[in-house]
Amino acid sequence: MGARIRINAQLIDSDSGSHIWAEKFDRDLAELFTVQDQVVQTIVSTLVGRSRRPISNEFDEPPASLAAYECVLRAMHCPGRSRWRSGGREII
């Protein structure tokens, strides 16, 4: 038996915590890129029409300082950071 991969994928609604979709993909390792495409296609087709929020740009205008914007982007990926909302927008 050749090398195999197993991918378990789930979509959970972050607002309600409800389960949207789950699937297990078992394939030969040689099919890695094929299964990757299949997972992405399945997730995208599952999400079409489910978004309750309009898709828009993060900012209405370009940031005044690219250095400050870069700091914000880096901070968004820091573990243990706290979040709160102000006027419907998430603030770091």
Side-chain angles (χ1 to χ4, degrees):
M1 187 153 122
R4 304 220 8 117
I5 57 171
R6 173 175 286 168
I7 300 171
N8 290 308
Q10 290 186 27
L11 293 178
I12 306 295
D13 184 307
S14 62
D15 291 332
S16 68
S18 64
H19 180 270
I20 296 173
W21 166 86
E23 192 164 334
K24 178 175 65 173
F25 299 85
D26 285 311
R27 302 287 190 280
D28 289 328
L29 184 58
E31 298 178 52
L32 177 63
F33 297 111
T34 302
V35 74
Q36 177 182 353
D37 291 342
Q38 184 182 7
V39 169
V40 170
Q41 183 179 20
T42 305
I43 289 172
V44 169
S45 64
T46 301
L47 291 176
V48 169
R50 287 188 177 262
S51 178
R52 291 174 291 211
R53 298 180 188 123
I55 298 172
S56 64
N57 290 332
E58 182 70 23
F59 301 102
D60 295 330
E61 56 189 57
S65 167
L66 291 178
Y69 179 64
E70 182 179 355
C71 289
V72 169
L73 292 177
R74 288 175 188 246
M76 292 174 78
H77 297 287
C78 289
R81 69 185 175 86
S82 58
R83 297 176 163 197
W84 66 91
R85 293 201 176 267
S86 172
R89 283 200 157 162
E90 189 173 88
I91 306 297
I92 297 174

